[in-house]
Amino acid sequence: MQKTLKKQVIGGVAWRGSADIIQQVLQIVFTIVLARLLTKADFGLLATAMVINRFFVALISVGFGGAIIRSTDVTKEQISAIFYIQLILNFTLSVVVYFLAQPIAGFFEEIELVRLVEITAWIILLQTFQFPTILLRKNMQFKSFSLIEISSMLIANTAAIIMAFDGFGIWSLVARLFIQKLCFIIGTWFAAKWKPTKPDFNGLKPIMNFGFNMLGSNLLSYFSENLIAIIISKFLGKEIMGLFNIAYNLAIVPASKIKSVLLSVLTPGFAKIQLDIVSFTKNNRKVLLYLSLTFIPFMFLMSGMSENIVLFMYGDKWIDASPMLLILAIVGMMKGVVHLLRSSILVKGEARVILYATIIELVSSLPLMYFYVSIYGVNGLLIGYSVGTLTSFFYIVYKYDKLFEEKIFYKTVLLPFIFGVSLFTLVFFIGQFSINLYIELILQLFMALILFGILMRLFYWKIMKMALQRFRLLK
């Protein structure tokens, strides 16, 4: 069983990790094209509409999916019952958001939001029909899941670019959302080969309890992640929101992709070995090390190269996004690592820790953001956002180490963190020279690769050797 599970987890991580990397690269490429065809206001308005959308989803974000994945005795009839409950909730919410479009636009003082909110409200209903993804994740069918995601993304973004060339403006971004959802829904229903049966509402209490216990945490998580975007939209306008959205997607989305991999693969995998403390701890530490050695240096590298990255990808029009990216990349690094710690804590049944961490983040960031926005603008908001993330980060780390009764985190992450700081220092220093953009970028990447290789050779030769051997086998 252990060997089969290990194979499933490794295969799942490989598929989900590869799919998310491919999607991230493709998303960046497509956004580069769209950013040159559309305006900062277009991106800012849609980002505001989606922040509103996510707020209302958070109001009913009951963790039924996680409950189904964790449960070992849930029946087909009970799963169908949960689907129908979710369908009713999401339909009701779509209707509510549709009729609230006018006051929402009034709050943000953007009349153009009315039509946008009315249309994007129905995305909430569409999300209901992604329900079979829960079953794909529970059964660890990550290959199908990943291929469907990539295909949906390619189709939707191709359509959006064609529409943008034809002058559809912001509606090309809206169309991208709907087309991607529809393609994904069709693919997942086909892959899961599932259809709802006669529902059985008996015996749902444990699943409902787990789901509703996650509701408060999900709602607070929404505010901790989106409050800065709400304040920007309200007080600083759609163009600043457009710049922030570009930086946010580069810096924070990779962390959310890590979260999706962990929730999709490691949560069901770890759930099956949670009672085997030795095996659970060993595998958890291994995943933490591999994540730290790749993700932490990468995010520090992005932060140090922020100005050149923005200029190279999006052009001079978006240069004001580079200071945001410098800070958000470090925030994204902390969030990405925390997502792994959270998944381990959740598998251990300590959902209350996640709730407290979110409260701590909000309490420590909101006053600072409110106070500094009038003095420093968006930079003041980023200061508050960073302080909140840092405070929550240390709390989660403390609880994680306490849960495993040894200093796993600091022993595992210290050296990768030093690697990251070293890479940041190197590329930031190179970025201070006034030379050709492309030469500077190549020099930054080349020197960073050499430094990272030297550090890995000195401190993690066994891991590096194993990776090289596997790469040769793949060749």
Side-chain angles (χ1 to χ4, degrees):
M1 161 131 182
Q2 284 282 357
K3 287 184 178 179
T4 304
L5 178 61
K6 182 179 179 181
K7 187 176 179 181
Q8 284 181 311
V9 171
I10 292 173
V13 170
W15 271 106
R16 293 303 302 140
S18 300
D20 282 336
I21 290 171
I22 291 169
Q23 285 186 82
Q24 188 67 17
V25 171
L26 289 174
Q27 188 68 34
I28 289 170
V29 171
F30 287 128
T31 303
I32 288 171
V33 177
L34 290 168
R36 294 174 186 274
L37 295 171
L38 304 174
T39 67
K40 289 179 278 189
D42 288 334
F43 279 89
L45 278 170
L46 184 65
T48 303
M50 294 314 297
V51 164
I52 295 160
N53 197 293
R54 289 194 296 270
F55 166 69
F56 284 98
V57 169
L59 290 176
I60 60 162
S61 189
V62 184
F64 290 146
I68 291 172
I69 290 170
R70 289 180 81 252
S71 177
T72 56
D73 56 3
V74 63
T75 67
K76 292 179 181 179
E77 292 76 16
Q78 289 172 331
I79 290 173
S80 294
I82 292 169
F83 169 73
Y84 288 122
I85 291 170
Q86 198 71 64
L87 178 61
I88 293 168
L89 286 173
N90 285 0
F91 174 74
T92 304
L93 194 60
S94 286
V95 173
V96 169
V97 175
Y98 179 88
F99 285 108
L100 285 177
Q102 198 81 37
I104 287 169
F107 173 78
F108 287 103
E109 299 177 1
E110 289 287 357
I111 193 64
E112 296 168 271
L113 272 178
V114 176
R115 192 65 181 145
L116 265 180
V117 173
E118 286 177 345
I119 292 175
T120 56
W122 301 106
I123 289 176
I124 301 171
L125 177 60
L126 274 181
Q127 286 174 344
T128 313
F129 298 98
Q130 295 179 180
F131 190 85
T133 60
I134 297 170
L135 304 178
L136 291 175
R137 286 165 52 199
K138 183 177 179 66
N139 297 324
M140 304 188 84
Q141 295 175 250
F142 300 111
K143 180 179 178 180
S144 301
F145 186 94
S146 302
L147 291 173
I148 293 164
E149 269 193 330
I150 294 170
S151 301
S152 303
M153 182 184 186
L154 283 169
I155 294 168
N157 278 279
T158 302
I161 290 173
I162 292 171
M163 290 180 68
F165 268 115
D166 285 343
F168 281 89
I170 192 172
W171 299 108
S172 57
L173 297 176
V174 176
R176 177 173 69 170
L177 287 172
F178 278 92
I179 294 169
Q180 189 163 348
K181 291 284 183 189
L182 288 169
C183 291
F184 185 71
I185 287 165
I186 293 168
T188 51
W189 280 77
F190 178 79
K193 296 180 172 60
W194 175 83
K195 52 186 176 183
T197 60
K198 183 179 178 181
D200 178 11
F201 295 93
N202 295 318
L204 285 182
K205 187 176 179 180
I207 292 175
M208 299 291 283
N209 285 342
F210 179 88
F212 281 108
N213 283 338
M214 292 300 296
L215 178 59
S217 178
N218 289 337
L219 185 57
L220 288 172
S221 291
Y222 164 83
F223 281 110
S224 69
E225 292 174 9
N226 294 280
L227 192 59
I228 185 171
I230 294 172
I231 296 174
I232 289 173
S233 298
K234 170 65 176 172
F235 296 105
L236 301 179
K238 57 192 176 186
E239 292 207 351
I240 299 296
M241 183 61 183
L243 290 166
F244 174 80
N245 186 56
I246 287 289
Y248 186 92
N249 285 334
L250 280 173
I252 307 297
V253 169
S256 67
K257 291 295 183 184
I258 285 177
K259 180 181 179 180
S260 70
V261 172
L262 296 174
L263 289 175
S264 297
V265 183
L266 296 184
T267 301
F270 281 169
K272 294 178 182 179
I273 60 170
Q274 59 184 298
L275 298 179
D276 184 348
I277 302 299
V278 174
S279 179
F280 183 87
T281 304
K282 179 183 176 183
N283 284 283
N284 199 278
R285 184 169 188 173
K286 189 180 292 185
V287 173
L288 177 60
L289 176 60
Y290 292 159
L291 175 68
S292 300
L293 281 172
T294 51
F295 185 68
I296 292 177
F298 173 77
M299 296 306 287
F300 270 109
L301 188 64
M302 182 187 292
S303 178
M305 296 173 61
S306 56
E307 183 173 334
N308 285 340
I309 287 173
V310 171
L311 284 172
F312 174 72
M313 289 184 172
Y314 305 111
D316 294 339
K317 180 172 71 174
W318 298 90
I319 186 60
D320 289 337
S322 60
M324 303 180 197
L325 179 58
L326 186 147
I327 297 171
L328 287 174
I330 303 302
V331 173
M333 179 271 294
M334 290 188 285
K335 286 186 176 292
V337 173
V338 162
H339 286 319
L340 173 59
L341 308 189
R342 284 165 58 111
S343 67
S344 303
I345 291 169
L346 278 175
V347 168
K348 284 293 187 179
E350 297 290 336
R352 192 175 297 180
V353 171
I354 309 304
L355 177 61
Y356 291 159
T358 310
I359 293 171
I360 288 169
E361 183 171 353
L362 277 172
V363 170
S364 56
S365 64
L366 182 56
L368 290 175
M369 286 196 286
Y370 178 78
F371 178 74
Y372 283 132
V373 67
S374 59
I375 304 174
Y376 303 112
V378 70
N379 291 326
L381 290 176
L382 291 171
I383 291 170
Y385 187 54
S386 303
V387 170
T389 301
L390 188 64
T391 307
S392 175
F393 175 82
F394 281 120
Y395 174 75
I396 287 283
V397 168
Y398 167 74
K399 287 295 183 179
Y400 176 83
D401 274 343
K402 191 175 180 181
L403 183 65
F404 289 99
E405 299 179 353
E406 57 177 298
K407 300 294 183 183
I408 290 179
F409 181 82
Y410 293 107
K411 289 177 182 177
T412 307
V413 172
L414 180 60
L415 272 177
F417 183 83
I418 293 172
F419 287 9
V421 173
S422 302
L423 291 174
F424 174 89
T425 304
L426 174 65
V427 298
F428 189 81
F429 175 73
I430 294 171
Q432 303 311 301
F433 296 107
S434 298
I435 55 179
N436 180 271
L437 170 64
Y438 301 104
I439 295 174
E440 197 166 280
L441 264 175
I442 293 169
L443 185 61
Q444 285 177 317
L445 290 170
F446 179 70
M447 295 302 295
L449 186 62
I450 291 175
L451 177 59
F452 184 71
I454 292 171
L455 292 172
M456 286 293 294
R457 178 66 179 84
L458 289 174
F459 298 100
Y460 292 103
W461 173 236
K462 287 184 179 179
I463 293 176
M464 188 176 181
K465 187 177 180 182
M466 183 174 65
L468 290 170
Q469 286 173 343
R470 289 184 177 180
F471 178 73
R472 290 193 193 102
L473 286 174
L474 286 173
K475 287 181 70 177

